[in-house]
Amino acid sequence: MRILVLGGTSFVGRAIVDDALRSGAEVTLFGRGRTGTELFPGLTGLIGDRDTGDYAALRDGSWDAAVDVSGYVPRHVGQAMDALGDRAGRYLFISSHAVYRREGVGPGSTEDTPRRPPVRDTEELSEETYGPLKVACEDDVVARYGPRATVVRPGKVAGPDVTAAQSGARQGGGPAHDLAGGDPVRRPGLGPRAW
């Protein structure tokens, strides 16, 4: 299996690359070459920049799957898909649970829960635009790749290589901090419990 990972040296991308390598996949990384350059020395690294629209490194090659872990705005995702054309068998887009409407959503919600309206008139990421920009990216991926598109919407992401800022954890507090430090975890209606 040949996998192209757009991003892949930090946050959730790092775990995806690690897992792909453990399964025996041939992984190619596409990114700016600024973060995590020491992590995967044996892999092919293609240098480009989504912010400037530099996808020249993707001119050649084909992959069974492209995994987009660094697409936050429709322009980036659209340009990556244009650069790849039909040379990716599947396009797996890492989205976010932030695509879902915030009001009226409760326990038991599924992937069919209504999404927020897409936003295409900004590239500024904020609390108000992040989810709607991801909605627009999802729509573009599905429109382009149809049944060859896969959209994954992680909730909170935590792990040994994820910083508190990346996971959205409160600085110096919250359940993830409590678990990591062995402190009692607050449980609504049940009181604290040490893990």
Side-chain angles (χ1 to χ4, degrees):
M1 165 91 48
R2 294 176 329 277
I3 301 173
L4 170 67
V5 181
L6 297 127
T9 57
S10 67
F11 199 36
V12 72
R14 182 174 176 175
I16 289 170
V17 172
D18 280 335
D19 191 58
L21 292 172
R22 272 194 301 278
S23 72
E26 178 185 322
V27 178
T28 300
L29 300 174
F30 173 82
R32 295 172 299 174
R34 294 183 189 159
T35 47
T37 55
E38 75 289 349
L39 292 176
F40 305 107
L43 298 186
T44 299
L46 304 176
I47 303 298
D49 190 330
R50 298 185 94 161
D51 285 333
T52 65
D54 178 8
Y55 292 88
L58 296 180
R59 252 191 319 255
D60 300 315
S62 64
W63 296 271
D64 298 303
V67 181
D68 190 344
V69 300
S70 60
Y72 299 99
V73 298
R75 177 178 62 88
H76 293 169
V77 174
Q79 288 174 340
M81 292 187 301
D82 288 345
L84 290 171
D86 287 330
R87 294 177 296 113
R90 172 159 303 279
Y91 198 98
L92 190 150
F93 180 68
I94 305 297
S95 186
S96 169
H97 73 288
V99 301
Y100 296 116
R101 280 190 5 212
R102 294 180 177 174
E103 56 283 332
V105 177
S109 298
T110 69
E111 64 271 7
D112 296 323
T113 297
R115 297 180 308 155
R116 297 163 75 179
V119 166
R120 296 180 180 279
D121 61 352
T122 186
E123 291 192 354
E124 182 179 333
L125 295 173
S126 70
E127 179 70 22
E128 292 76 35
T129 63
Y130 178 77
L133 282 165
K134 284 285 199 174
V135 170
C137 293
E138 286 184 9
D139 290 348
D140 292 351
V141 169
V142 171
R144 174 74 177 255
Y145 284 96
R148 297 184 305 137
T150 300
V151 174
V152 177
R153 298 176 182 144
K156 295 292 182 190
V157 177
D161 301 309
V162 176
T163 67
Q166 289 171 324
S167 71
R170 296 187 310 274
Q171 189 69 13
H177 173 77
D178 294 345
L179 285 170
D183 295 332
V185 176
R186 294 170 291 280
R187 299 176 302 153
L190 300 174
R193 175 179 174 189
W195 289 91

